[in-house]
Amino acid sequence: DSGVTQTPKHLITATGQRVTLRCSPRSGDLSVYWYQQSLDQGLQFLIQYYNGEERAKGNILERFSAQQFPDLHSELNLSSLELGDSALYFCASSATGTGNQPQHFGDGTRLSIL
Amino acid sequence: GQNIDQPTEMTATEGAIVQINCTYQTSGFNGLFWYQQHAGEAPTFLSYNVLDGLEEKGRFSSFLSRSKGYSYLLLKELQMKDSASYLCAVGNYGQNFVFGPGTRLSVLP
């Protein structure tokens, strides 16, 4: 158990819809990362937050947005969903987000767009 | 920019030793990480190298040469459960990690 909690585990929805994925980091970790992993593909970095502030942005689409709340949990919002958005979405956390500490991953949310 | 290269696939036999290589180019290097990921599951942290040399942890060892931009993960006494993808990731002073494409290892009986 990594200590990172992601909900829901599975999500099935239709094209054009909007969903919210939730992540609670490990106790004491201030930084949260979001990744997308399509079938048999590598991890694509989406965005990083540190203590409520956006720190780094990767290949995140404009239809996607995220935020980190004062209690440090984070949400990833995906809107105007397309078939190609079907993927595993992982959240990871680390203590300081400075690149010299390991990230610990949640079990992911599997998003299926029908 | 940053670039990380790993072999796409490798095959080895149960009980053998396998070495998975990773080469990288980055600025502001702050450490190299190895993760294991079974299909459909979350990546799990295996090792961290920030200084040159070999770090050993049970059946797994990881090596780093910063001057060559090179690392490898060595797996000894392979078991069937070691069949997984192995991800090399570089941390930098900038802000984030960069993950390599991963090496899919198949362990055969």
PDB file of all heavy atoms in Angstrom, chain A residues 35 37 40 43 45 48 55-56 88 90 97-103 105-106 110, chain B residues 30 33 35 37 40-43 45 48 87 91-92 95-97 99 101 104:
ATOM      1  N   TYR A  35      -0.665  11.665 -13.973  1.00  0.00           N
ATOM      2  CA  TYR A  35      -0.156  11.024 -15.186  1.00  0.00           C
ATOM      3  C   TYR A  35      -1.312  10.345 -15.915  1.00  0.00           C
ATOM      4  O   TYR A  35      -2.270   9.874 -15.303  1.00  0.00           O
ATOM      5  CB  TYR A  35       0.885   9.954 -14.847  1.00  0.00           C
ATOM      6  CG  TYR A  35       2.171  10.470 -14.255  1.00  0.00           C
ATOM      7  CD1 TYR A  35       2.311  10.651 -12.889  1.00  0.00           C
ATOM      8  CD2 TYR A  35       3.255  10.774 -15.077  1.00  0.00           C
ATOM      9  CE1 TYR A  35       3.485  11.118 -12.340  1.00  0.00           C
ATOM     10  CE2 TYR A  35       4.449  11.241 -14.536  1.00  0.00           C
ATOM     11  CZ  TYR A  35       4.550  11.411 -13.177  1.00  0.00           C
ATOM     12  OH  TYR A  35       5.728  11.879 -12.639  1.00  0.00           O
ATOM     13  N   GLN A  37      -1.899   7.163 -18.693  1.00  0.00           N
ATOM     14  CA  GLN A  37      -1.254   6.018 -19.341  1.00  0.00           C
ATOM     15  C   GLN A  37      -2.289   5.291 -20.188  1.00  0.00           C
ATOM     16  O   GLN A  37      -3.185   4.630 -19.664  1.00  0.00           O
ATOM     17  CB  GLN A  37      -0.639   5.068 -18.317  1.00  0.00           C
ATOM     18  CG  GLN A  37       0.211   3.975 -18.949  1.00  0.00           C
ATOM     19  CD  GLN A  37       0.963   3.158 -17.919  1.00  0.00           C
ATOM     20  OE1 GLN A  37       0.419   2.796 -16.892  1.00  0.00           O
ATOM     21  NE2 GLN A  37       2.235   2.847 -18.195  1.00  0.00           N
ATOM     22  N   ASP A  40      -0.812   0.025 -23.132  1.00  0.00           N
ATOM     23  CA  ASP A  40       0.514  -0.341 -23.617  1.00  0.00           C
ATOM     24  C   ASP A  40       1.401   0.863 -23.941  1.00  0.00           C
ATOM     25  O   ASP A  40       2.332   0.744 -24.752  1.00  0.00           O
ATOM     26  CB  ASP A  40       0.419  -1.247 -24.854  1.00  0.00           C
ATOM     27  CG  ASP A  40      -0.163  -2.609 -24.505  1.00  0.00           C
ATOM     28  OD1 ASP A  40       0.007  -3.030 -23.337  1.00  0.00           O
ATOM     29  OD2 ASP A  40      -0.774  -3.240 -25.374  1.00  0.00           O
ATOM     30  N   LEU A  43       4.071   6.390 -19.327  1.00  0.00           N
ATOM     31  CA  LEU A  43       3.431   7.378 -18.469  1.00  0.00           C
ATOM     32  C   LEU A  43       3.599   8.770 -19.076  1.00  0.00           C
ATOM     33  O   LEU A  43       4.718   9.199 -19.337  1.00  0.00           O
ATOM     34  CB  LEU A  43       4.072   7.367 -17.083  1.00  0.00           C
ATOM     35  CG  LEU A  43       3.717   6.223 -16.157  1.00  0.00           C
ATOM     36  CD1 LEU A  43       4.636   6.234 -14.949  1.00  0.00           C
ATOM     37  CD2 LEU A  43       2.274   6.308 -15.710  1.00  0.00           C
ATOM     38  N   PHE A  45       3.214  12.609 -18.333  1.00  0.00           N
ATOM     39  CA  PHE A  45       3.071  13.574 -17.245  1.00  0.00           C
ATOM     40  C   PHE A  45       2.082  14.658 -17.638  1.00  0.00           C
ATOM     41  O   PHE A  45       2.177  15.242 -18.719  1.00  0.00           O
ATOM     42  CB  PHE A  45       4.437  14.183 -16.930  1.00  0.00           C
ATOM     43  CG  PHE A  45       4.398  15.371 -16.010  1.00  0.00           C
ATOM     44  CD1 PHE A  45       4.027  15.224 -14.692  1.00  0.00           C
ATOM     45  CD2 PHE A  45       4.734  16.631 -16.472  1.00  0.00           C
ATOM     46  CE1 PHE A  45       3.988  16.319 -13.842  1.00  0.00           C
ATOM     47  CE2 PHE A  45       4.711  17.735 -15.636  1.00  0.00           C
ATOM     48  CZ  PHE A  45       4.337  17.581 -14.320  1.00  0.00           C
ATOM     49  N   GLN A  48       1.798  18.977 -12.109  1.00  0.00           N
ATOM     50  CA  GLN A  48       2.294  18.824 -10.743  1.00  0.00           C
ATOM     51  C   GLN A  48       1.847  20.002  -9.897  1.00  0.00           C
ATOM     52  O   GLN A  48       1.872  21.146 -10.358  1.00  0.00           O
ATOM     53  CB  GLN A  48       3.822  18.754 -10.718  1.00  0.00           C
ATOM     54  CG  GLN A  48       4.409  18.647  -9.310  1.00  0.00           C
ATOM     55  CD  GLN A  48       5.889  18.971  -9.247  1.00  0.00           C
ATOM     56  OE1 GLN A  48       6.495  19.344 -10.233  1.00  0.00           O
ATOM     57  NE2 GLN A  48       6.487  18.845  -8.075  1.00  0.00           N
ATOM     58  N   ARG A  55       3.105  23.704 -10.062  1.00  0.00           N
ATOM     59  CA  ARG A  55       4.562  23.801 -10.143  1.00  0.00           C
ATOM     60  C   ARG A  55       5.078  23.464 -11.540  1.00  0.00           C
ATOM     61  O   ARG A  55       6.045  24.043 -11.985  1.00  0.00           O
ATOM     62  CB  ARG A  55       5.226  22.888  -9.131  1.00  0.00           C
ATOM     63  CG  ARG A  55       6.744  22.903  -9.204  1.00  0.00           C
ATOM     64  CD  ARG A  55       7.381  22.204  -8.053  1.00  0.00           C
ATOM     65  NE  ARG A  55       7.605  23.103  -6.931  1.00  0.00           N
ATOM     66  CZ  ARG A  55       8.288  22.771  -5.846  1.00  0.00           C
ATOM     67  NH1 ARG A  55       8.779  21.569  -5.726  1.00  0.00           N
ATOM     68  NH2 ARG A  55       8.454  23.624  -4.859  1.00  0.00           N
ATOM     69  N   ALA A  56       4.472  22.503 -12.195  1.00  0.00           N
ATOM     70  CA  ALA A  56       4.950  22.123 -13.530  1.00  0.00           C
ATOM     71  C   ALA A  56       3.772  21.603 -14.341  1.00  0.00           C
ATOM     72  O   ALA A  56       2.830  21.032 -13.797  1.00  0.00           O
ATOM     73  CB  ALA A  56       6.043  21.061 -13.446  1.00  0.00           C
ATOM     74  N   LEU A  88      -5.660   4.862 -18.148  1.00  0.00           N
ATOM     75  CA  LEU A  88      -5.449   4.817 -16.700  1.00  0.00           C
ATOM     76  C   LEU A  88      -4.882   6.168 -16.293  1.00  0.00           C
ATOM     77  O   LEU A  88      -3.929   6.648 -16.906  1.00  0.00           O
ATOM     78  CB  LEU A  88      -4.430   3.739 -16.352  1.00  0.00           C
ATOM     79  CG  LEU A  88      -4.914   2.402 -15.807  1.00  0.00           C
ATOM     80  CD1 LEU A  88      -3.734   1.449 -15.664  1.00  0.00           C
ATOM     81  CD2 LEU A  88      -5.629   2.563 -14.479  1.00  0.00           C
ATOM     82  N   PHE A  90      -3.109   8.066 -13.240  1.00  0.00           N
ATOM     83  CA  PHE A  90      -2.434   7.859 -11.970  1.00  0.00           C
ATOM     84  C   PHE A  90      -2.158   9.189 -11.294  1.00  0.00           C
ATOM     85  O   PHE A  90      -1.807  10.177 -11.936  1.00  0.00           O
ATOM     86  CB  PHE A  90      -1.093   7.151 -12.174  1.00  0.00           C
ATOM     87  CG  PHE A  90      -1.197   5.707 -12.532  1.00  0.00           C
ATOM     88  CD1 PHE A  90      -0.877   5.275 -13.810  1.00  0.00           C
ATOM     89  CD2 PHE A  90      -1.581   4.763 -11.593  1.00  0.00           C
ATOM     90  CE1 PHE A  90      -0.963   3.937 -14.153  1.00  0.00           C
ATOM     91  CE2 PHE A  90      -1.672   3.422 -11.911  1.00  0.00           C
ATOM     92  CZ  PHE A  90      -1.368   3.014 -13.207  1.00  0.00           C
ATOM     93  N   GLY A  97       8.611  17.349  -3.879  1.00  0.00           N
ATOM     94  CA  GLY A  97       8.470  17.597  -5.311  1.00  0.00           C
ATOM     95  C   GLY A  97       9.678  18.213  -5.956  1.00  0.00           C
ATOM     96  O   GLY A  97       9.565  18.869  -6.990  1.00  0.00           O
ATOM     97  N   THR A  98      10.869  18.011  -5.370  1.00  0.00           N
ATOM     98  CA  THR A  98      12.065  18.646  -5.920  1.00  0.00           C
ATOM     99  C   THR A  98      12.879  17.720  -6.804  1.00  0.00           C
ATOM    100  O   THR A  98      13.962  18.067  -7.215  1.00  0.00           O
ATOM    101  CB  THR A  98      12.972  19.150  -4.783  1.00  0.00           C
ATOM    102  OG1 THR A  98      13.204  18.080  -3.870  1.00  0.00           O
ATOM    103  CG2 THR A  98      12.320  20.309  -4.070  1.00  0.00           C
ATOM    104  N   GLY A  99      12.381  16.560  -7.098  1.00  0.00           N
ATOM    105  CA  GLY A  99      13.056  15.691  -8.062  1.00  0.00           C
ATOM    106  C   GLY A  99      14.128  14.806  -7.467  1.00  0.00           C
ATOM    107  O   GLY A  99      14.784  14.066  -8.201  1.00  0.00           O
ATOM    108  N   ASN A 100      14.352  14.854  -6.170  1.00  0.00           N
ATOM    109  CA  ASN A 100      15.347  13.981  -5.549  1.00  0.00           C
ATOM    110  C   ASN A 100      14.726  13.027  -4.542  1.00  0.00           C
ATOM    111  O   ASN A 100      15.416  12.470  -3.694  1.00  0.00           O
ATOM    112  CB  ASN A 100      16.453  14.802  -4.884  1.00  0.00           C
ATOM    113  CG  ASN A 100      15.943  15.660  -3.751  1.00  0.00           C
ATOM    114  OD1 ASN A 100      14.742  15.810  -3.575  1.00  0.00           O
ATOM    115  ND2 ASN A 100      16.845  16.235  -2.992  1.00  0.00           N
ATOM    116  N   GLN A 101      13.426  12.874  -4.644  1.00  0.00           N
ATOM    117  CA  GLN A 101      12.719  11.931  -3.784  1.00  0.00           C
ATOM    118  C   GLN A 101      11.769  11.127  -4.645  1.00  0.00           C
ATOM    119  O   GLN A 101      11.220  11.648  -5.624  1.00  0.00           O
ATOM    120  CB  GLN A 101      11.921  12.677  -2.714  1.00  0.00           C
ATOM    121  CG  GLN A 101      12.802  13.411  -1.725  1.00  0.00           C
ATOM    122  CD  GLN A 101      12.018  14.389  -0.908  1.00  0.00           C
ATOM    123  OE1 GLN A 101      10.931  14.794  -1.291  1.00  0.00           O
ATOM    124  NE2 GLN A 101      12.574  14.773   0.222  1.00  0.00           N
ATOM    125  N   PRO A 102      11.555   9.858  -4.288  1.00  0.00           N
ATOM    126  CA  PRO A 102      10.691   9.037  -5.132  1.00  0.00           C
ATOM    127  C   PRO A 102       9.249   9.508  -5.075  1.00  0.00           C
ATOM    128  O   PRO A 102       8.793  10.070  -4.084  1.00  0.00           O
ATOM    129  CB  PRO A 102      10.829   7.639  -4.540  1.00  0.00           C
ATOM    130  CG  PRO A 102      11.240   7.859  -3.130  1.00  0.00           C
ATOM    131  CD  PRO A 102      12.077   9.106  -3.126  1.00  0.00           C
ATOM    132  N   GLN A 103       8.555   9.288  -6.166  1.00  0.00           N
ATOM    133  CA  GLN A 103       7.117   9.479  -6.188  1.00  0.00           C
ATOM    134  C   GLN A 103       6.468   8.150  -5.838  1.00  0.00           C
ATOM    135  O   GLN A 103       6.945   7.089  -6.220  1.00  0.00           O
ATOM    136  CB  GLN A 103       6.657   9.904  -7.584  1.00  0.00           C
ATOM    137  CG  GLN A 103       7.187  11.246  -8.009  1.00  0.00           C
ATOM    138  CD  GLN A 103       6.705  11.636  -9.388  1.00  0.00           C
ATOM    139  OE1 GLN A 103       5.696  11.126  -9.896  1.00  0.00           O
ATOM    140  NE2 GLN A 103       7.407  12.551 -10.012  1.00  0.00           N
ATOM    141  N   PHE A 105       2.870   6.067  -6.083  1.00  0.00           N
ATOM    142  CA  PHE A 105       1.689   6.088  -6.933  1.00  0.00           C
ATOM    143  C   PHE A 105       0.461   5.473  -6.274  1.00  0.00           C
ATOM    144  O   PHE A 105       0.570   4.468  -5.563  1.00  0.00           O
ATOM    145  CB  PHE A 105       1.971   5.317  -8.229  1.00  0.00           C
ATOM    146  CG  PHE A 105       2.836   6.060  -9.194  1.00  0.00           C
ATOM    147  CD1 PHE A 105       4.199   6.177  -8.996  1.00  0.00           C
ATOM    148  CD2 PHE A 105       2.279   6.673 -10.316  1.00  0.00           C
ATOM    149  CE1 PHE A 105       5.003   6.878  -9.885  1.00  0.00           C
ATOM    150  CE2 PHE A 105       3.068   7.369 -11.218  1.00  0.00           C
ATOM    151  CZ  PHE A 105       4.430   7.471 -10.996  1.00  0.00           C
ATOM    152  N   GLY A 106      -0.688   6.067  -6.575  1.00  0.00           N
ATOM    153  CA  GLY A 106      -1.952   5.443  -6.249  1.00  0.00           C
ATOM    154  C   GLY A 106      -2.263   4.333  -7.240  1.00  0.00           C
ATOM    155  O   GLY A 106      -1.530   4.132  -8.219  1.00  0.00           O
ATOM    156  N   ARG A 110      -9.296   3.912 -13.763  1.00  0.00           N
ATOM    157  CA  ARG A 110      -9.430   3.456 -15.151  1.00  0.00           C
ATOM    158  C   ARG A 110     -10.659   4.113 -15.754  1.00  0.00           C
ATOM    159  O   ARG A 110     -11.787   3.852 -15.324  1.00  0.00           O
ATOM    160  CB  ARG A 110      -9.557   1.934 -15.218  1.00  0.00           C
ATOM    161  CG  ARG A 110      -9.588   1.394 -16.640  1.00  0.00           C
ATOM    162  CD  ARG A 110      -9.607  -0.128 -16.658  1.00  0.00           C
ATOM    163  NE  ARG A 110      -8.396  -0.702 -16.095  1.00  0.00           N
ATOM    164  CZ  ARG A 110      -7.242  -0.842 -16.739  1.00  0.00           C
ATOM    165  NH1 ARG A 110      -7.156  -0.426 -17.986  1.00  0.00           N
ATOM    166  NH2 ARG A 110      -6.208  -1.393 -16.152  1.00  0.00           N
TER     167      ARG A 110
ATOM    168  N   ASN B  30      19.127  15.474 -10.743  1.00  0.00           N
ATOM    169  CA  ASN B  30      18.954  15.409  -9.299  1.00  0.00           C
ATOM    170  C   ASN B  30      18.687  13.988  -8.825  1.00  0.00           C
ATOM    171  O   ASN B  30      18.263  13.781  -7.690  1.00  0.00           O
ATOM    172  CB  ASN B  30      17.807  16.343  -8.877  1.00  0.00           C
ATOM    173  CG  ASN B  30      17.908  16.760  -7.428  1.00  0.00           C
ATOM    174  OD1 ASN B  30      18.929  16.542  -6.785  1.00  0.00           O
ATOM    175  ND2 ASN B  30      16.848  17.331  -6.906  1.00  0.00           N
ATOM    176  N   PHE B  33      15.802   7.196 -10.910  1.00  0.00           N
ATOM    177  CA  PHE B  33      14.906   6.287 -10.223  1.00  0.00           C
ATOM    178  C   PHE B  33      14.538   5.127 -11.134  1.00  0.00           C
ATOM    179  O   PHE B  33      14.418   5.295 -12.343  1.00  0.00           O
ATOM    180  CB  PHE B  33      13.608   7.016  -9.838  1.00  0.00           C
ATOM    181  CG  PHE B  33      13.820   8.211  -8.941  1.00  0.00           C
ATOM    182  CD1 PHE B  33      14.229   9.423  -9.466  1.00  0.00           C
ATOM    183  CD2 PHE B  33      13.595   8.111  -7.585  1.00  0.00           C
ATOM    184  CE1 PHE B  33      14.427  10.533  -8.657  1.00  0.00           C
ATOM    185  CE2 PHE B  33      13.780   9.216  -6.758  1.00  0.00           C
ATOM    186  CZ  PHE B  33      14.194  10.418  -7.289  1.00  0.00           C
ATOM    187  N   TYR B  35      11.509   2.100 -11.457  1.00  0.00           N
ATOM    188  CA  TYR B  35      10.200   1.644 -11.018  1.00  0.00           C
ATOM    189  C   TYR B  35       9.859   0.352 -11.735  1.00  0.00           C
ATOM    190  O   TYR B  35      10.269   0.121 -12.860  1.00  0.00           O
ATOM    191  CB  TYR B  35       9.119   2.685 -11.369  1.00  0.00           C
ATOM    192  CG  TYR B  35       9.111   3.903 -10.475  1.00  0.00           C
ATOM    193  CD1 TYR B  35      10.043   4.920 -10.655  1.00  0.00           C
ATOM    194  CD2 TYR B  35       8.184   4.025  -9.463  1.00  0.00           C
ATOM    195  CE1 TYR B  35      10.034   6.033  -9.835  1.00  0.00           C
ATOM    196  CE2 TYR B  35       8.162   5.145  -8.628  1.00  0.00           C
ATOM    197  CZ  TYR B  35       9.098   6.136  -8.832  1.00  0.00           C
ATOM    198  OH  TYR B  35       9.082   7.239  -8.009  1.00  0.00           O
ATOM    199  N   GLN B  37       6.495  -1.877 -12.996  1.00  0.00           N
ATOM    200  CA  GLN B  37       5.061  -1.749 -13.218  1.00  0.00           C
ATOM    201  C   GLN B  37       4.516  -3.025 -13.851  1.00  0.00           C
ATOM    202  O   GLN B  37       4.843  -3.339 -15.000  1.00  0.00           O
ATOM    203  CB  GLN B  37       4.721  -0.542 -14.095  1.00  0.00           C
ATOM    204  CG  GLN B  37       3.220  -0.320 -14.235  1.00  0.00           C
ATOM    205  CD  GLN B  37       2.853   0.870 -15.080  1.00  0.00           C
ATOM    206  OE1 GLN B  37       3.605   1.293 -15.954  1.00  0.00           O
ATOM    207  NE2 GLN B  37       1.663   1.438 -14.817  1.00  0.00           N
ATOM    208  N   GLY B  40      -1.415  -3.061 -15.940  1.00  0.00           N
ATOM    209  CA  GLY B  40      -2.656  -2.614 -15.330  1.00  0.00           C
ATOM    210  C   GLY B  40      -2.543  -2.174 -13.888  1.00  0.00           C
ATOM    211  O   GLY B  40      -3.554  -1.848 -13.259  1.00  0.00           O
ATOM    212  N   GLU B  41      -1.308  -2.150 -13.362  1.00  0.00           N
ATOM    213  CA  GLU B  41      -1.120  -1.770 -11.963  1.00  0.00           C
ATOM    214  C   GLU B  41      -0.281  -0.501 -11.870  1.00  0.00           C
ATOM    215  O   GLU B  41       0.244   0.005 -12.853  1.00  0.00           O
ATOM    216  CB  GLU B  41      -0.452  -2.909 -11.190  1.00  0.00           C
ATOM    217  CG  GLU B  41      -1.287  -4.168 -11.155  1.00  0.00           C
ATOM    218  CD  GLU B  41      -0.637  -5.277 -10.334  1.00  0.00           C
ATOM    219  OE1 GLU B  41       0.376  -5.010  -9.650  1.00  0.00           O
ATOM    220  OE2 GLU B  41      -1.155  -6.402 -10.382  1.00  0.00           O
ATOM    221  N   ALA B  42      -0.181   0.018 -10.647  1.00  0.00           N
ATOM    222  CA  ALA B  42       0.591   1.235 -10.428  1.00  0.00           C
ATOM    223  C   ALA B  42       2.086   0.941 -10.438  1.00  0.00           C
ATOM    224  O   ALA B  42       2.523  -0.139 -10.040  1.00  0.00           O
ATOM    225  CB  ALA B  42       0.212   1.853  -9.091  1.00  0.00           C
ATOM    226  N   PRO B  43       2.898   1.890 -10.885  1.00  0.00           N
ATOM    227  CA  PRO B  43       4.350   1.741 -10.753  1.00  0.00           C
ATOM    228  C   PRO B  43       4.738   1.710  -9.275  1.00  0.00           C
ATOM    229  O   PRO B  43       4.160   2.439  -8.462  1.00  0.00           O
ATOM    230  CB  PRO B  43       4.903   3.006 -11.413  1.00  0.00           C
ATOM    231  CG  PRO B  43       3.804   3.508 -12.288  1.00  0.00           C
ATOM    232  CD  PRO B  43       2.541   3.136 -11.589  1.00  0.00           C
ATOM    233  N   PHE B  45       8.143   1.924  -6.634  1.00  0.00           N
ATOM    234  CA  PHE B  45       9.509   2.410  -6.545  1.00  0.00           C
ATOM    235  C   PHE B  45      10.462   1.267  -6.210  1.00  0.00           C
ATOM    236  O   PHE B  45      10.222   0.492  -5.287  1.00  0.00           O
ATOM    237  CB  PHE B  45       9.565   3.499  -5.475  1.00  0.00           C
ATOM    238  CG  PHE B  45      10.950   3.912  -5.073  1.00  0.00           C
ATOM    239  CD1 PHE B  45      11.790   4.551  -5.972  1.00  0.00           C
ATOM    240  CD2 PHE B  45      11.422   3.658  -3.793  1.00  0.00           C
ATOM    241  CE1 PHE B  45      13.068   4.938  -5.603  1.00  0.00           C
ATOM    242  CE2 PHE B  45      12.699   4.040  -3.413  1.00  0.00           C
ATOM    243  CZ  PHE B  45      13.522   4.678  -4.320  1.00  0.00           C
ATOM    244  N   TYR B  48      16.920   4.308  -6.118  1.00  0.00           N
ATOM    245  CA  TYR B  48      17.292   5.696  -6.368  1.00  0.00           C
ATOM    246  C   TYR B  48      18.802   5.808  -6.336  1.00  0.00           C
ATOM    247  O   TYR B  48      19.448   5.330  -5.394  1.00  0.00           O
ATOM    248  CB  TYR B  48      16.675   6.584  -5.285  1.00  0.00           C
ATOM    249  CG  TYR B  48      17.169   8.006  -5.244  1.00  0.00           C
ATOM    250  CD1 TYR B  48      16.991   8.853  -6.326  1.00  0.00           C
ATOM    251  CD2 TYR B  48      17.806   8.514  -4.114  1.00  0.00           C
ATOM    252  CE1 TYR B  48      17.431  10.171  -6.282  1.00  0.00           C
ATOM    253  CE2 TYR B  48      18.246   9.835  -4.063  1.00  0.00           C
ATOM    254  CZ  TYR B  48      18.048  10.649  -5.148  1.00  0.00           C
ATOM    255  OH  TYR B  48      18.467  11.958  -5.110  1.00  0.00           O
ATOM    256  N   LEU B  87      10.638   0.980 -15.520  1.00  0.00           N
ATOM    257  CA  LEU B  87      10.684   2.376 -15.948  1.00  0.00           C
ATOM    258  C   LEU B  87      11.863   3.079 -15.302  1.00  0.00           C
ATOM    259  O   LEU B  87      12.039   3.028 -14.084  1.00  0.00           O
ATOM    260  CB  LEU B  87       9.394   3.099 -15.535  1.00  0.00           C
ATOM    261  CG  LEU B  87       8.075   2.422 -15.857  1.00  0.00           C
ATOM    262  CD1 LEU B  87       6.916   3.227 -15.307  1.00  0.00           C
ATOM    263  CD2 LEU B  87       7.926   2.254 -17.355  1.00  0.00           C
ATOM    264  N   GLY B  91      15.007  12.645 -12.175  1.00  0.00           N
ATOM    265  CA  GLY B  91      14.546  13.807 -11.429  1.00  0.00           C
ATOM    266  C   GLY B  91      15.493  14.957 -11.683  1.00  0.00           C
ATOM    267  O   GLY B  91      16.693  14.747 -11.862  1.00  0.00           O
ATOM    268  N   ASN B  92      14.963  16.158 -11.738  1.00  0.00           N
ATOM    269  CA  ASN B  92      15.850  17.302 -11.935  1.00  0.00           C
ATOM    270  C   ASN B  92      15.478  18.429 -11.007  1.00  0.00           C
ATOM    271  O   ASN B  92      14.450  18.389 -10.329  1.00  0.00           O
ATOM    272  CB  ASN B  92      15.856  17.754 -13.398  1.00  0.00           C
ATOM    273  CG  ASN B  92      14.494  18.231 -13.839  1.00  0.00           C
ATOM    274  OD1 ASN B  92      13.758  18.845 -13.093  1.00  0.00           O
ATOM    275  ND2 ASN B  92      14.155  17.952 -15.076  1.00  0.00           N
ATOM    276  N   GLN B  95      11.595  20.861 -11.814  1.00  0.00           N
ATOM    277  CA  GLN B  95      10.428  20.621 -10.979  1.00  0.00           C
ATOM    278  C   GLN B  95       9.991  19.163 -10.969  1.00  0.00           C
ATOM    279  O   GLN B  95       9.452  18.695  -9.998  1.00  0.00           O
ATOM    280  CB  GLN B  95       9.230  21.458 -11.453  1.00  0.00           C
ATOM    281  CG  GLN B  95       9.305  22.914 -11.095  1.00  0.00           C
ATOM    282  CD  GLN B  95       9.401  23.769 -12.307  1.00  0.00           C
ATOM    283  OE1 GLN B  95       9.192  23.300 -13.414  1.00  0.00           O
ATOM    284  NE2 GLN B  95       9.720  25.022 -12.121  1.00  0.00           N
ATOM    285  N   ASN B  96      10.143  18.504 -12.106  1.00  0.00           N
ATOM    286  CA  ASN B  96       9.452  17.236 -12.149  1.00  0.00           C
ATOM    287  C   ASN B  96      10.345  16.104 -12.613  1.00  0.00           C
ATOM    288  O   ASN B  96      11.484  16.287 -12.976  1.00  0.00           O
ATOM    289  CB  ASN B  96       8.230  17.346 -13.063  1.00  0.00           C
ATOM    290  CG  ASN B  96       8.618  17.663 -14.491  1.00  0.00           C
ATOM    291  OD1 ASN B  96       9.646  18.266 -14.737  1.00  0.00           O
ATOM    292  ND2 ASN B  96       7.828  17.254 -15.455  1.00  0.00           N
ATOM    293  N   PHE B  97       9.771  14.949 -12.553  1.00  0.00           N
ATOM    294  CA  PHE B  97      10.381  13.759 -13.087  1.00  0.00           C
ATOM    295  C   PHE B  97      10.132  13.700 -14.578  1.00  0.00           C
ATOM    296  O   PHE B  97       9.149  14.225 -15.072  1.00  0.00           O
ATOM    297  CB  PHE B  97       9.669  12.529 -12.528  1.00  0.00           C
ATOM    298  CG  PHE B  97      10.150  12.031 -11.218  1.00  0.00           C
ATOM    299  CD1 PHE B  97      10.584  12.891 -10.238  1.00  0.00           C
ATOM    300  CD2 PHE B  97      10.124  10.686 -10.945  1.00  0.00           C
ATOM    301  CE1 PHE B  97      10.986  12.419  -9.004  1.00  0.00           C
ATOM    302  CE2 PHE B  97      10.522  10.203  -9.716  1.00  0.00           C
ATOM    303  CZ  PHE B  97      10.946  11.057  -8.744  1.00  0.00           C
ATOM    304  N   PHE B  99       9.803  10.318 -17.056  1.00  0.00           N
ATOM    305  CA  PHE B  99       9.845   8.866 -17.140  1.00  0.00           C
ATOM    306  C   PHE B  99      10.253   8.433 -18.535  1.00  0.00           C
ATOM    307  O   PHE B  99       9.821   9.022 -19.536  1.00  0.00           O
ATOM    308  CB  PHE B  99       8.473   8.270 -16.824  1.00  0.00           C
ATOM    309  CG  PHE B  99       8.203   8.136 -15.357  1.00  0.00           C
ATOM    310  CD1 PHE B  99       7.635   9.179 -14.655  1.00  0.00           C
ATOM    311  CD2 PHE B  99       8.524   6.978 -14.675  1.00  0.00           C
ATOM    312  CE1 PHE B  99       7.383   9.072 -13.286  1.00  0.00           C
ATOM    313  CE2 PHE B  99       8.285   6.852 -13.312  1.00  0.00           C
ATOM    314  CZ  PHE B  99       7.721   7.899 -12.625  1.00  0.00           C
ATOM    315  N   PRO B 101      10.342   5.415 -21.576  1.00  0.00           N
ATOM    316  CA  PRO B 101       9.241   4.661 -22.182  1.00  0.00           C
ATOM    317  C   PRO B 101       9.010   3.301 -21.539  1.00  0.00           C
ATOM    318  O   PRO B 101       7.948   2.702 -21.749  1.00  0.00           O
ATOM    319  CB  PRO B 101       9.686   4.504 -23.635  1.00  0.00           C
ATOM    320  CG  PRO B 101      11.171   4.587 -23.583  1.00  0.00           C
ATOM    321  CD  PRO B 101      11.494   5.548 -22.488  1.00  0.00           C
ATOM    322  N   ARG B 104       9.788  -3.712 -21.315  1.00  0.00           N
ATOM    323  CA  ARG B 104       8.919  -4.820 -20.951  1.00  0.00           C
ATOM    324  C   ARG B 104       9.759  -6.085 -20.864  1.00  0.00           C
ATOM    325  O   ARG B 104      10.323  -6.541 -21.858  1.00  0.00           O
ATOM    326  CB  ARG B 104       7.811  -4.998 -21.973  1.00  0.00           C
ATOM    327  CG  ARG B 104       6.792  -6.088 -21.599  1.00  0.00           C
ATOM    328  CD  ARG B 104       5.666  -6.155 -22.601  1.00  0.00           C
ATOM    329  NE  ARG B 104       4.951  -4.887 -22.670  1.00  0.00           N
ATOM    330  CZ  ARG B 104       3.925  -4.676 -23.495  1.00  0.00           C
ATOM    331  NH1 ARG B 104       3.508  -5.619 -24.295  1.00  0.00           N
ATOM    332  NH2 ARG B 104       3.325  -3.511 -23.515  1.00  0.00           N
TER     333      ARG B 104
END
